[in-house]
Structures are given as C-alpha cells and as structure tokens.
Amino acid sequence: MSKKLIYLDNAATTKTAPEVVEAMLPYFTENYGNPSSVYEFAGISKKAVTESREIIAGALGADQSEIYFTAGGSEADNWALKAAAEAYKSKGRHIITTKIEHHAILHTCEYLEKQGYEVTYLDVDETGIVKMDQLKKAVRPDTILISVMFANNEIGTVQPVKEIGEIAKEKGILFHTDAVQAFGQLPINVDEYHIDMLSSSAHKLNGPKGIGFLYIRKGVKIRSFVHGGAQERKRRAGTENVPGIVGFGAAVKRAMETMEERTRKEQELRDHLIDRVLKEVPYVRLNGHRTKRLPNNTNFSFQFIEGESLLIMLDMEGICGSSGSACTSGSLDPSHVLLAIGLPHEIAHGSLRLTLSDETTMEDIDYTVEAIKKIVERLRSMSPLYEDFIKKSAR
Ligand SMILES: *Cc1c(COP(=O)(O)O)cnc(C)c1O
C-alpha cells in the first residue's frame, strides 16, 4: 500500500502480530488433526490446545481447567450472562450491570429482561467510573450476578474492579467482568480481584479474530452454551479452532512478556496526544478519566463538529480513527457511553476515539495532531453554529 496509513483504531481490532501468525501456520498445514481423535497425529493438535490454555490461565492466575474457548468476546459475554441467569434462577432473577457496557452485554441484558429477569443499570460519574454507593444499594437478596466491564472500549476508563469484586464476594453474588479491552494491557489476577467469570477476545491483543474465552471459576454453576460433542469439558461443543487457539496463546504470551515496556511507551504517546490536542485545539474536551484509563486510549469531543465528518477527513489524510465504538459508527444515535458520562447530544456527536498500538510513533502522533487542527478549523469555518457562537462571544 503506497498511501500513508496511521492506524489509530486499536480498540476496534489490532494487527495480528507476525510471531502469532507464524505460531498458527503449522496448525493449518501439517498439524491439522482433530484434537478429539485418538491417534498420535491428532495428539499434536490436542497438546497445542492444552499449551495455549495453560498460557492463558497462567496470565490470569487461574487453572487451565477454568478456561473455555469461544468464538470471541461477544460469545463469552452472552454465555456468562445467559448461563448464569439460568443456573441461578432459583436464587433470584436480578442482575446488576452498568450503562456503559459493550452491546454484547447490554443487548444480552435486554434479552434477559424479556425472559423475566430484572436488570439494574448503574450510572457512572463524569469520568466513567461506576458509582460504588449506588452499586451497594442496588444489591438485593435475589441478585444473582454483577457484570461490570474491566475497562471501557470507548473512553478507556478502568473500573475499581477489586472493590466491586469484594462487594460481590461479601454478598455471595457472582461477579463477571468483560475484560476484552483490559486483558493484555493491564495485569489481572482473578483471585486478587474476586472475579468469577471473565470474557476476553484475541483480536484485541494482536491475536486472530474469531477466538475468545470465558474464564469460569471452579465451582460456579454454569450451563453449556453450545450443545453437541464433548469439547471444552462438555460446555461448549464444536471442533476446536486449533489455529485460533494457538494464536491466542501466542498473543497472550507476547502481551505478558511485553506488557510493561509496551504500555509505558503507549502511555507516553497517549499523554503527548492528549496534551497537544487540549492545548492546541480550542473548544475540545477529553472524555474519560485522566489517569484511570487504558494506556492506549484517547477520546475527545470537539464542539461545533460532526464526528463523522472529522473521521472522513482524517481518513483522507490516511488516519484511521473511530467516532464511538465500531457498532455505534454508522448509526446516528450518539454513543450510549458518552451520554452516560453526561455529554449533551450535540457534544457527543463531535467525538473522536484514537487508540494507539506499540507500533505507533511520536511522528504519527504529531502528524495526527496537525491533521486534527487543520480539519477542525476547516469544519468549524463551515459551521453556522460556530459562526453564531463566535459572533455572540465577540459582543
Ligand atoms: C470488542 C469487544 C467485545 C466483543 O468482542 P468480539 O471478539 O469482537 O466479539 C466485547 N466487549 C468489549 C469491551 C469489546 O471491546
């Protein structure tokens, strides 16, 4: 590709790392056996699946028997909620979650509401952090599950997961966290944080698309998600995605080995981007928490601007960003996350998410800031709202 490409949409998906692809390749070509078969040749596939499971479990402080592979983060979220709801319905039918979850959680909750479950959607403060007093008050005798994401995919806010886990544990309620954005970027230990279930997806941490897992703590009652063969200890049938699983293991190994240095570098560039935009562009705000945020996440709202126009013009400069989450893009409703942190519709519409990778350079960031400055000025010069505002403030 000759055109310049500055990819700043790593919250939507990431590049599969070359060493991950390399680890996967033999499982398409020479080692194609079905892990369930009995002969020695298939044993190679079976062993590779087990090794990946061990790498992943080790990264979370879990046991390998607690890792269940799925076809991605959305499936893991669906499974966690639907299966816990069914398995614990004799105890109650009340679930607590937040207003800023990914749609894989929110739409599953809507489905469960139609099945007769009651869901409390917690508010967040203006930085996107769950209101703990509200959480404590929301707990009822019939509450069976608390599901709060580890870190938000749009504004990057990291939740006080340990405190939430402690409350859940104290009240004897299951705690699920969607860690799709956090796993590989932040250290996570399921025991320390009292996590009972955790969702993850490989393509958000330089692994392949279409493979994820659900961690389920030993002793948690859970129903099978896909019925059929005996794979994944009879809980999720279907021949294993062996290359995907191998790639996921390789991606997690890489993420754990590089975490400290990689996230330090990303954070430095992130802060440089934030500082420059806030200083050099007028009428802009940073969404999310200044420090309790993912090391690679930035999210801005530019007044008097349509996020979609900004995105299109950035694209013409070779810069890939997002105006919300990938699922919100293309629809005209402003992001539910930005509304939940209290942004008015017109401000939420002018939002831009830029998410970095370990390949992002200082040069990329400076080029991007210059492009933003130029585009924002141009778009505002065409905006009657901005013209009005300037006239009024001149008076
Ligand atoms: C991407 C994402 C998902 C969905 O994962 P898929 O593997 O794409 O299905 C769920 N939750 C969060 C927070 C995400 O960022």
Side-chain angles (χ1 to χ4, degrees), residues 100-101 149-158 181 294 297 337:
I100 62 163
E101 297 299 309
M149 70 200 316
F150 209 108
N152 185 266
N153 48 304
E154 292 187 37
I155 57 174
T157 302
V158 180
Q181 291 289 332
L294 288 169
N297 172 288
V337 177

Side-chain angles (χ1 to χ4, degrees), residues 166-241:
E166 274 163 7
I167 292 172
K169 190 177 180 194
E170 188 192 304
K171 307 273 185 190
I173 301 166
L174 283 186
F175 175 38
H176 166 258
T177 187
D178 174 340
V180 174
Q181 291 289 332
F183 187 46
Q185 293 225 62
L186 304 171
I188 302 177
N189 182 294
V190 287
D191 288 339
E192 194 185 323
Y193 292 150
H194 308 296
I195 295 164
D196 296 309
M197 291 186 282
L198 176 145
S199 309
S200 173
S201 179
H203 76 99
K204 302 285 175 80
L205 56 129
N206 305 99
K209 293 166 182 60
I211 182 78
F213 72 81
L214 180 64
Y215 156 80
I216 309 174
R217 180 178 291 282
K218 210 166 272 165
V220 169
K221 278 194 283 179
I222 194 127
R223 297 287 191 265
S224 300
F225 193 63
V226 178
H227 302 275
Q231 294 91 351
E232 299 303 288
R233 295 166 302 290
K234 296 191 186 155
R235 280 164 165 183
R236 201 273 188 184
T239 300
E240 295 86 342
N241 174 357

